[in-house]
Amino acid sequence: MVTTSLAFVRDSVERFLRASHDDVSADAEGDLVVRRDGVAAWIRATEMVEGQTAVFIWSVPVEEPGVDDELTRYLATEGANLTFGHFELYASPDRVHLSHTLMGEHLSREELELAVDEVLLSTVRYGRIIEDRFGGRRPEARPARSAGPERPPPPAGKAEGIELLRARVEAYLKESHPGVSVDDQGDFALRSGSSVTWVRPDPWEGHRSLARVFSVTNVGVRVDGELTRFLLETNARLPFGGFQLDERRSATIIVHSLLGEYLNPNELHAAILCVSGAAEQFAPEIGARFGGTLLTES
């Protein structure tokens, strides 16, 4: 049953991409590649746990940059300004990835198109910034035959105010997490072991909305190049979400964003499990290596 489900998701992803982008191909590894504005994004559908599927979207803003403390600090803190996704750092050769994950189940064409477009837009922006400030080179992607369609408006019946999203999130969480509470900032808080995971409904671009799932793992950490490189390399291992650095509080945060108008209970539940699981797994290591305290102990 898992194989059938994965095959269906792969077929759907390819159909959606070819319907919304003019330049779509498959690479040697079977990943789909979308090219536009001189940059490329790769898309791969794969199995997760319990028969679920995920759709990974990633790009390479720059290859072989000068990896030093300044670059890793920039990427770790700038991640907070990404609508979707997070930065990852790979070695041999050094390269920066920008990556985002969607759930394969219930995936719609509009959701996939928005996520791919946002990754491509961020790749253009950050590829230039990183190349100018830190060196390296932007990968050469074959120019697309056209600039592609503009970002679509929300489909009929999908646009909703932030309060409607908040009501849906609350209903989903009360059904699956009876211990959910609301903190003084209006975020939904869920305690799991030694970590706390929050869900925050946020407006985006006026008529859209996001559900941000995040956990503050450690506060008062020692901020240096070793920490920021660790966070970026750890991001490459996470199926959902990525670490960011909050310099103001010297805090490490793991975040994953979901499109509000396409949110469903299974996707929200999976994001919460992945974010809280990563927080439980990595918070003790961050504390042991970089000091500070767990948020739940501060």
Side-chain angles (χ1 to χ4, degrees), residues 97-210:
H97 280 199
L98 197 160
S99 180
H100 184 62
T101 307
L102 300 171
M103 286 292 294
E105 285 73 21
H106 311 292
L107 183 69
S108 71
R109 171 184 163 180
E110 293 84 2
E111 182 181 16
L112 178 62
E113 183 177 352
L114 276 169
V116 171
D117 284 353
E118 196 65 31
V119 167
L120 288 169
L121 287 170
S122 296
T123 301
V124 171
R125 177 188 177 194
Y126 285 105
R128 292 169 180 161
I129 293 173
I130 295 169
E131 185 181 46
D132 290 345
R133 290 183 58 179
F134 306 103
R137 60 182 177 82
R138 284 175 284 165
E140 294 182 7
R142 183 176 73 252
R145 289 186 290 272
S146 75
E150 294 183 358
R151 177 176 292 161
K158 284 290 186 181
E160 63 180 358
I162 196 68
E163 292 307 319
L164 289 177
L165 174 60
R166 176 177 293 279
R168 283 203 296 130
V169 168
E170 183 174 16
Y172 294 162
L173 292 178
K174 285 186 175 179
E175 183 174 346
S176 58
H177 300 82
V180 64
S181 60
V182 179
D183 67 14
D184 55 7
Q185 297 185 42
D187 299 330
F188 298 98
L190 304 98
R191 182 73 179 253
S192 175
S194 61
S195 67
V196 179
T197 301
W198 288 268
V199 181
R200 174 180 295 168
D202 265 345
W204 177 46
E205 293 193 338
H207 58 278
R208 295 189 186 277
S209 58
L210 299 170

Side-chain angles (χ1 to χ4, degrees), residues 34-135:
V34 174
R35 294 176 174 87
R36 198 182 75 188
D37 298 332
V39 296
W42 285 259
I43 300 93
R44 176 187 298 168
T46 189
E47 295 176 2
M48 290 184 67
V49 296
E50 299 179 355
Q52 295 181 325
T53 56
V55 177
F56 296 116
I57 306 165
W58 75 95
S59 65
V60 185
V62 67
E63 293 178 329
E64 300 183 15
V67 178
D68 57 16
D69 293 358
E70 186 180 357
L71 171 63
T72 59
R73 190 164 187 153
Y74 172 78
L75 295 175
T77 54
E78 190 65 20
N81 293 321
L82 293 172
T83 302
F84 293 112
H86 52 269
F87 290 113
E88 303 171 348
L89 188 63
Y90 291 81
S92 301
D94 288 332
R95 63 195 188 278
V96 174
H97 280 199
L98 197 160
S99 180
H100 184 62
T101 307
L102 300 171
M103 286 292 294
E105 285 73 21
H106 311 292
L107 183 69
S108 71
R109 171 184 163 180
E110 293 84 2
E111 182 181 16
L112 178 62
E113 183 177 352
L114 276 169
V116 171
D117 284 353
E118 196 65 31
V119 167
L120 288 169
L121 287 170
S122 296
T123 301
V124 171
R125 177 188 177 194
Y126 285 105
R128 292 169 180 161
I129 293 173
I130 295 169
E131 185 181 46
D132 290 345
R133 290 183 58 179
F134 306 103

